[in-house]
Amino acid sequence: MSESRASLPDRTWWRSAVLYQIYPRSFADSDGDGIGDLAGIAAHLDHLRGAPDALNVDGIWLSPIYPSPQKDFGYDISDYCAIDPAYGNLRTFDLLVAEAHRRGLKVLLDLVPGHTSDQHPWFQAARRSRDDPHRELYIWADPAPDGGAPNNWTAAFGGSAWQLEERTGQYYLHSFYPEQPDLNWRTPQTHERMADVVRFWLARGVDGFRVDAIDRSMKDALLRENPPAVPGYLTPFMASGDQLHVWNKNRPETVDVVRSIRAAATAARADVMLLGEAYLPVEILGRYLGTPEQPVFDLAFDFTFIATPWDADEMRVTIEGPEAHLPAHGWPCRALSNHDNPRHGTRFGARALRPAAVLLLTLRGTPVLYMGEEIGMLDVPPPAGIRFDRFGRDACRTPMQWSSEAGGGFTGASPWLPLGDIATVNAQDQRPDPRSLLSLYRELLRLRHASAALSTGTFRSIDLPAGSGAVAYLREADGERLVVIVSFRSEPVQVDLRRAARGRLGASGAVVLSTVPERGAGDPVDLAAVSLAPDEALIVELQAR
Ligand code: NOJ
Ligand code: MG
């Protein structure tokens, strides 16, 4: 009897998936301490999947939930194989995974291979003496002849990347905060320990990992000095402050770090999914996807998307980037917002929330939503004098706005960060309202899941003249042909798609979805003169060929 194909694990489920990032501290507080927790997440899964009015995402990525002194809110880990008591324990974690899986939601954890907390027992041991066996887990160097830092490398959060450890007279390297000493991936010890971590969580049922800051995981063994930045060259991602990060970012050996993580992960679970975080130009990302025979990451965020302003001509270059530069088997991955950057409703202005949702959810590739964007949450700057993140990222990390009641439905107590405008922006009010942003997201997800063209079809840019104020593209699969047109202007825009596509699209189509109420599903569209309302985005179905 031949094996049933349906019983084989689907190794590329993530291609047609929509992922959702949860910042656990700010999603839902179940125990009244003002801090989100795992039981809170489990209690709010109906919002994401399983309920008739759920968004219907396919997977969640949880930012770090491990024990941490919270200097970098979980990205400074003091124990990789446990849960921070503020969030719960391994039992509540298992319950959350079971509840997610029951609904068909995949669960991705955040793997932080680049650095630990300075409170991690490995570092506590390593810093005590040069002879300690843990010493080689970190990167140590003698002071420069003048007693200063060993070289000129700067940390991602500013200042020197080196910190003097007085007791042993050497500096340790930290690519982020000084409380986050970098792990040394040149020793097999680090590979083995991280493999243990990967196995630990896969055995508990997680489906994959978002892998943190991979571009900083390897540095030059000779610690060569970075050259000065050249204005406009490899910016914004390879330069910061006054230097080009030639020797402490995106080293060729970095791919070996990912391969090591992948080897451990796939040995434990063949269909594991690895999503890489690397702030790199899209021209370089392909290296991190490997080959079909030897994949590295399955997906890697294209952050040029997050770095592009709400401008049609600039966005066109950005959305064509992965199409031009990823390898043929590569699959783009984009987010508009995350816990490290101002929310896109704040960056672009709230008027762009609807067309931006259409853009994100109709491009080729796996979209990653950041909790709260589906209801149009904006940045909430904390009051003067309150600052949790020294680098200034608190405003995009404020609690999820579930309802307009006191505590925003997030907490019964006082939230750790202030709530935004819960009276006008909250999930409870938007859920039953067919005109709400939440309903638009839900509808876009429904369309995407129902359409092979949108979820896995080909992408082809339509060549609108520069200055049109809109972008347009064709998504196609099995005879299904959809054109997406997104306006970037708050005044009316008219485009001639017939001419731009040189007749390839035919003369007319029918509306599938519009972000403005004046246009309804089924309305005819004359492709030679598409009049877009201010801030309108439109999906049009063409006649099958
Ligand atoms: C990227 C994470 O997204 C960010 O929040 C963190 O500060 C750095 N990596 C360091 O882990
Ligand atoms: Mg709590």
Side-chain angles (χ1 to χ4, degrees):
M1 211 178 90
S2 69
E3 194 177 359
S4 151
R5 299 210 71 189
S7 69
L8 293 172
D10 175 9
R11 291 186 194 177
T12 53
W13 61 266
W14 38 268
R15 283 185 181 239
S16 54
V18 176
L19 304 177
Y20 186 96
Q21 179 191 358
I22 291 178
Y23 198 67
R25 210 174 174 77
S26 295
F27 196 62
D29 172 26
S30 74
D31 60 358
D33 61 357
I35 295 173
D37 44 57
L38 299 185
I41 297 172
H44 285 77
L45 291 179
D46 268 355
H47 177 68
L48 300 176
R49 197 177 171 103
D53 55 2
L55 253 182
N56 219 9
V57 297
D58 305 280
I60 53 177
W61 146 37
L62 305 179
S63 278
I65 50 178
Y66 322 105
S68 163
Q70 311 291 354
K71 298 288 180 205
D72 190 18
F73 291 100
Y75 288 94
D76 50 324
I77 297 170
S78 51
D79 181 353
Y80 281 87
C81 297
I83 304 290
D84 193 287
Y87 300 145
N89 53 43
L90 285 171
R91 215 183 82 78
T92 44
F93 176 78
D94 292 343
L95 289 172
L96 170 59
V97 173
E99 190 52 36
H101 283 166
R102 196 175 64 75
R103 293 159 190 266
L105 265 180
K106 306 275 187 184
V107 179
L108 308 179
L109 291 187
D110 215 308
L111 184 72
V112 185
H115 44 267
T116 68
S117 160
D118 62 351
Q119 301 305 306
H120 195 293
W122 302 341
F123 189 70
Q124 292 292 311
R127 77 192 319 181
R128 243 173 262 136
S129 109
R130 292 195 188 201
D131 304 324
D132 191 280
H134 297 86
R135 187 84 172 174
E136 67 176 54
L137 279 169
Y138 297 89
I139 299 171
W140 302 92
D142 291 332
D146 68 356
N151 67 19
N152 72 346
W153 295 352
T154 52
F157 297 145
S160 170
W162 296 97
Q163 179 78 23
L164 183 62
E165 173 58 60
E166 309 260 352
R167 268 178 288 188
T168 56
Q170 281 189 312
Y171 283 81
Y172 66 84
L173 188 68
H174 60 88
S175 291
F176 295 90
Y177 289 129
E179 294 90 343
Q180 294 167 291
D182 280 16
L183 283 165
N184 172 20
W185 277 90
R186 292 184 189 277
T187 167
Q189 259 208 72
T190 302
H191 291 247
E192 284 153 24
R193 284 170 196 250
M194 212 47 69
D196 288 343
V197 172
V198 164
R199 285 188 285 263
F200 179 86
W201 292 108
L202 289 176
R204 294 200 102 87
V206 314
D207 302 285
F209 300 94
R210 174 267 193 188
V211 184
D212 183 71
I214 200 68
D215 46 322
R216 298 249 181 189
S217 58
M218 270 288 184
K219 358 287 149 165
D220 180 42
L222 301 177
L223 308 183
R224 278 170 277 200
E225 298 266 319
N226 278 333
V230 179
Y233 178 66
L234 286 182
T235 52
F237 299 137
M238 287 303 289
S240 70
D242 56 356
Q243 66 184 240
L244 202 57
H245 293 284
V246 171
W247 298 112
N248 63 340
K249 190 172 165 156
N250 189 40
R251 298 305 306 149
E253 311 92 298
T254 311
V255 171
D256 302 335
V257 175
V258 191
R259 284 197 200 283
S260 163
I261 292 169
R262 170 162 290 280
T266 45
R269 176 169 178 167
D271 63 340
V272 68
M273 194 275 246
L274 298 179
L275 159 59
E277 187 217 27
Y279 279 83
L280 292 173
V282 68
E283 291 84 348
I284 297 174
L285 277 185
R287 176 190 303 175
Y288 291 88
L289 299 178
T291 61
E293 299 73 38
Q294 282 199 303
V296 180
F297 283 126
D298 297 298
L299 295 171
F301 278 113
D302 169 19
F303 286 118
T304 46
F305 193 64
I306 251 184
T308 302
W310 191 243
D311 171 271
D313 295 339
E314 294 203 44
M315 195 56 94
R316 177 169 168 191
V317 175
T318 293
I319 64 183
E320 291 174 359
E323 303 293 334
H325 297 292
L326 295 190
H329 78 286
W331 192 249
C333 178
R334 302 179 180 91
L336 282 167
S337 291
N338 62 26
H339 64 295
D340 289 328
N341 293 282
R343 285 180 174 274
H344 66 273
T346 297
R347 294 198 317 271
F348 300 154
R351 71 169 181 91
L353 283 165
R354 283 167 187 268
V358 174
L359 181 72
L360 176 65
L361 291 165
T362 58
L363 287 170
R364 189 179 79 101
T366 301
V368 185
L369 310 182
Y370 178 47
M371 58 166 224
E373 76 170 71
E374 72 277 26
I375 55 170
M377 279 177 60
L378 303 177
D379 273 14
V380 184
I386 295 195
R387 179 175 267 234
F388 286 96
D389 178 50
R390 274 134 61 199
F391 195 54
R393 294 166 293 179
D394 293 330
C396 63
R397 298 175 174 180
T398 59
M400 180 70 185
Q401 296 167 199
W402 293 107
S403 73
S404 59
E405 72 199 52
F410 165 73
T411 183
S414 154
W416 75 286
L417 275 175
L419 292 160
D421 182 4
I422 52 173
T424 51
V425 178
N426 72 73
Q428 190 178 58
D429 290 348
Q430 289 191 26
R431 203 167 282 124
D433 174 1
R435 295 219 169 151
S436 67
L437 184 66
L438 180 56
S439 292
L440 174 66
Y441 268 84
R442 199 193 293 128
E443 180 61 8
L444 284 164
L445 270 113
R446 193 191 64 72
L447 278 174
R448 196 180 165 93
H449 286 129
S451 156
L454 289 181
S455 59
T456 53
T458 57
F459 169 97
R460 185 161 180 172
S461 209
I462 296 173
D463 193 17
L464 291 175
S468 301
V471 297
Y473 41 91
L474 176 66
R475 301 293 319 275
E476 214 169 347
D478 310 329
E480 183 192 3
R481 301 170 81 214
L482 298 175
V483 167
V484 182
I485 316 147
V486 180
S487 168
F488 287 69
R489 298 235 175 107
S490 48
E491 64 252 27
V493 164
Q494 179 152 327
V495 292
D496 180 350
L497 292 181
R498 251 195 118 167
R499 169 186 290 221
R502 287 178 213 89
R504 283 194 316 269
L505 306 178
S508 64
V511 172
V512 175
L513 174 145
S514 163
T515 56
V516 297
E518 300 83 63
R519 214 189 296 259
D523 288 358
V525 178
D526 173 6
L527 295 179
V530 185
S531 301
L532 296 164
D535 305 311
E536 180 177 9
L538 185 59
I539 306 177
V540 176
E541 173 147 38
L542 305 179
Q543 302 296 314
R545 270 194 297 211

